[in-house]
């Protein structure tokens, strides 16, 4: 009992209350995240679109997401985390319902585009807020717990969506919109603004004018973003081409829901232990291993025909995902300046949105032109090349992170929190330790948007 209590304390103890409100919002939102999981099946089986048309709609969702993360990152830094989150969630809930009632291809495409814009505009604000309230020493735990919540919700949603789809696909859109509104309500009632004015140092302005130029000349960070883009191109095949491939094998949407739920189940069971397993190990080596394992998992899909074999491939690439996520999150957290935190979040999220636009279209074209086997074996090749790239570029990233840690830290101002904090709740409004970095420095998290 003492051992279990100690494990729980090491895993979840000492995190600020604001984090747990965000965590609860994530879990509730993901419990209703039906639509994206089943969108490809909905478009091909319910709406009668071809695989290419379905890929186009999913691609438009990714284009909207790319615009949304760019706008969301800027608004996060200029307008604030809280208003950006609230606006994005309310807009996403509205567009979710609109997409559910759309019938013609142009209307479905427009709905997907606007839904992607609003849904993904929330990512930079959420990531920046997580970093604002969680001290650096606790961020690996916090990122892992949030990722755990994402996948607990995803596992449940995948199974429930298969059942709900039998009652009518419109129900998927209604429930998804409702859980998005509940998340917005939690943020409105319980989460205050966490953005902190950055103290100007050595005559530097607190909000640099050349923000975009700074990011575009950060070759170390952009190289890392590029590697994530390729990882996302592979990973997002699980919501675009995998359900179509399983349908071609004669498997039902309910079977797809059960198989893809294995992804969330394995993460729920294993993710709480992964941070301990990789703690103290080279992040570049962990990321390289993750790329290889993910590539193998998706590559084996080329030979799958039965539900159990598809399930096995999902379990394999899920292990790669579990290794990738915590190391990814902490590296991003150490490579983004505090005054540009939202924008850096937006650029990283942009890699997911570009992949979201390209992956279904590219996957559909490769599948139609070269065949199912070429698609999945191509994913395996990309995984191997990414592993080599992580090993080569890793030392430069770690040198940059070390330089930021030893540079002059920013002295943050206390964030304004409309809900009055209780005694002992200081950690919810300001980090327990200064944010380390360059003359201005901060961090980032991502929910592998993937989930």
């Amino acid at each position: 009992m003492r051992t279990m209590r100690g494990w729980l304390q090491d895993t979840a103890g000492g995190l600020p209350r604001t984090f747990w409100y965000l965590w609860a919002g994530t879990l509730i939102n993901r419990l209703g995240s039906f639509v994206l999981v089943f969108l490809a099946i909905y478009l091909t089986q319910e709406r009668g679109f071809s695989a290419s048309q379905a890929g186009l709609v999913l691609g438009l969702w990714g284009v909207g997401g790319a615009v949304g993360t760019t706008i969301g990152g800027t608004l996060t830094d200029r307008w604030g985390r809280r208003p950006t989150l609230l606006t994005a969630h309310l807009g996403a809930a509205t567009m979710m319902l609109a997409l559910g009632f759309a019938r013609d291809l142009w209307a479905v495409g427009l709905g997907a585009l606007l839904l992607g814009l609003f849904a993904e505009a929330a990512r930079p604000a959420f990531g920046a807020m997580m970093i604002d309230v969680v001290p650096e020493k606790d961020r690996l735990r916090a990122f892992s717990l949030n990722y755990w919540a994402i996948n607990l919700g995803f596992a449940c949603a995948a199974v429930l969506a298969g059942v709900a789809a039998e009652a009518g696909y419109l129900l998927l859109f209604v429930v998804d919109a409702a859980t998005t509104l509940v998340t917005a309500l939690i943020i409105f009632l319980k989460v205050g603004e966490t953005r902190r004015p950055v103290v100007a140092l050595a005559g530097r302005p607190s909000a640099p004018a050349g923000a975009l130029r700074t990011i575009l000349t950060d070759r170390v960070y952009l190289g890392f973003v590029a590697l994530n883009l390729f990882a996302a191109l592979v990973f997002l095949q699980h919501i675009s081409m995998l359900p179509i491939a399983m349908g071609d094998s004669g498997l039902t949407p309910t079977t797809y829901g059960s198989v893809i739920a294995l992804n969330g189940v394995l993460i729920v069971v294993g993710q709480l232990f992964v941070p301990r397993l990789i703690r103290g190990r080279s992040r570049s080596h962990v990321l390289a291993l993750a790329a290889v394992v993910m590539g193998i998992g998706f590559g084996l899909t080329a030979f799958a025909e039965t539900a159990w074999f598809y399930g096995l491939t999902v379990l394999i690439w899920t292990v790669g995902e579990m290794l990738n996520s915590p190391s990814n999150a902490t590296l991003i957290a150490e490579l983004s300046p505090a005054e540009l935190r939202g924008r850096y979040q937006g650029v990283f999220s942009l890699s997911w949105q570009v992949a979201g636009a390209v992956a279904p279209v590219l996957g559909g074209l490769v599948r139609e032109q070269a065949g199912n086997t070429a698609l999945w074996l191509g994913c395996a090749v990309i995984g191997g090349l990414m592993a080599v790239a992580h090993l080569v570029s890793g030392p430069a990233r770690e040198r940059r992170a070390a330089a930021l840690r030893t540079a002059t830290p920013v002295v943050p101002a206390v964030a304004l929190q409309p809900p009055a904090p209780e005694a002992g709740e200081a950690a919810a409004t300001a980090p327990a330790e200064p944010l380390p970095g360059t003359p201005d420095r901060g961090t980032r998290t991502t929910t592998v948007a993937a989930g």
Side-chain angles (χ1 to χ4, degrees):
M1 181 63 69
R2 290 182 180 178
T3 302
M4 177 61 69
R5 190 181 299 117
W7 176 81
L8 288 173
Q9 179 63 30
D10 290 343
T11 302
L15 294 170
R17 183 174 300 177
T18 300
F19 164 78
W20 289 111
Y21 288 135
L22 293 172
W23 183 90
T26 295
L27 178 59
I28 292 171
N29 199 1
R30 291 294 172 169
L31 282 170
S33 60
F34 295 162
V35 170
L36 192 56
V37 177
F38 274 74
L39 188 56
I41 296 175
Y42 167 75
L43 293 173
T44 54
Q45 296 188 9
E46 181 73 7
R47 295 270 69 87
F49 297 150
S50 67
S52 297
Q53 289 174 322
L56 175 63
V57 172
L58 289 167
L60 287 172
W61 185 92
V63 170
V67 176
T69 53
T70 303
I71 295 174
T74 300
L75 291 178
T76 295
D77 288 336
R78 293 187 176 180
W79 191 23
R81 283 72 156 127
R82 188 170 182 264
T84 301
L85 270 178
L86 289 173
T87 302
H89 278 80
L90 292 174
T94 301
M95 294 315 305
M96 189 74 69
L97 291 175
L99 181 59
F101 287 103
R103 291 295 178 266
D104 296 332
L105 178 60
W106 71 267
V108 172
L110 179 61
L113 178 73
L114 295 176
L115 175 59
L117 188 151
F118 282 108
E120 299 307 320
R123 285 186 181 274
F126 185 89
M129 186 172 276
M130 285 272 290
I131 297 163
D132 289 343
V133 302
V134 178
E136 184 179 12
K137 62 184 177 62
D138 293 326
R139 285 175 188 152
L140 180 61
R141 291 192 299 132
F143 297 156
S144 296
L145 285 168
N146 190 65
Y147 193 52
W148 184 83
I150 288 171
N151 285 279
L152 176 61
F154 176 77
C156 295
V159 175
L160 293 174
V163 177
E166 299 296 331
Y169 280 97
L170 180 60
L171 182 61
L172 304 183
F173 293 90
V174 172
V175 173
D176 208 332
T179 55
T180 302
L181 288 175
V182 171
T183 302
L185 185 63
I186 291 174
I187 294 169
F188 179 75
L189 294 176
K190 295 295 185 180
V191 178
E193 179 57 62
T194 64
R195 183 180 56 162
R196 301 172 181 82
V198 181
V199 177
L201 296 174
R204 290 178 55 186
S206 59
L212 181 60
R213 184 170 61 252
T214 299
I215 297 173
L216 292 179
T217 56
D218 191 341
R219 289 181 293 179
V220 171
Y221 187 75
L222 290 181
F224 186 58
V225 171
L227 286 177
N228 188 74
L229 171 61
F230 283 102
L233 286 173
V234 173
F235 182 78
L236 291 178
Q237 298 303 324
H238 83 283
I239 58 173
S240 55
M241 292 301 107
L242 180 60
I244 296 175
M246 290 183 66
D248 289 346
S249 297
L251 301 175
T252 66
T254 302
T255 302
Y256 168 72
S258 299
V259 167
I260 203 65
L262 293 174
N263 169 256
V265 170
L266 180 57
I267 291 175
V268 167
V269 173
Q271 190 65 37
L272 295 177
F273 303 95
V274 168
R276 285 194 174 192
L277 294 176
I278 66 176
R279 187 178 299 160
R281 301 183 185 277
S282 166
R283 285 182 292 199
S284 299
H285 291 173
V286 173
L287 288 170
L289 177 61
V292 170
V293 174
M294 189 178 297
I296 291 173
F298 278 99
L300 286 174
T301 308
F303 310 104
E305 287 292 339
T306 60
W308 73 266
F309 202 140
Y310 279 110
L312 177 63
T313 67
V314 169
L315 291 175
I316 292 172
W317 58 253
T318 296
V319 172
E321 181 189 355
M322 292 166 62
L323 293 171
N324 180 79
S325 179
S327 298
N328 232 11
T330 55
L331 262 176
I332 301 161
E334 294 186 27
L335 294 175
S336 50
E339 76 277 16
L340 298 178
R341 183 172 295 162
R343 291 172 177 86
Y344 266 67
Q345 305 264 345
V347 168
F348 187 81
S349 295
L350 186 61
S351 66
W352 279 103
Q353 306 321 313
V354 171
V358 174
V361 177
L362 184 61
L365 289 174
V366 171
R367 193 170 181 276
E368 289 182 359
Q369 299 299 320
N372 191 62
T373 301
L375 170 65
W376 301 115
L377 292 183
C379 290
V381 172
I382 292 174
L385 293 175
M386 283 175 50
V388 174
H390 273 302
L391 294 176
V392 171
S393 62
R397 291 196 299 261
E398 296 300 336
R399 287 194 297 270
R400 169 68 61 82
L404 292 174
R405 282 194 297 268
T406 57
T408 305
V410 174
V411 180
V414 175
L416 298 176
Q417 295 279 354
E422 299 179 5
E425 185 66 13
T429 57
E433 57 189 58
L435 294 174
T438 59
D440 300 303
R441 120 116 208 143
T443 44
R444 133 105 179 122
T445 182
T446 186
T447 46
V448 83

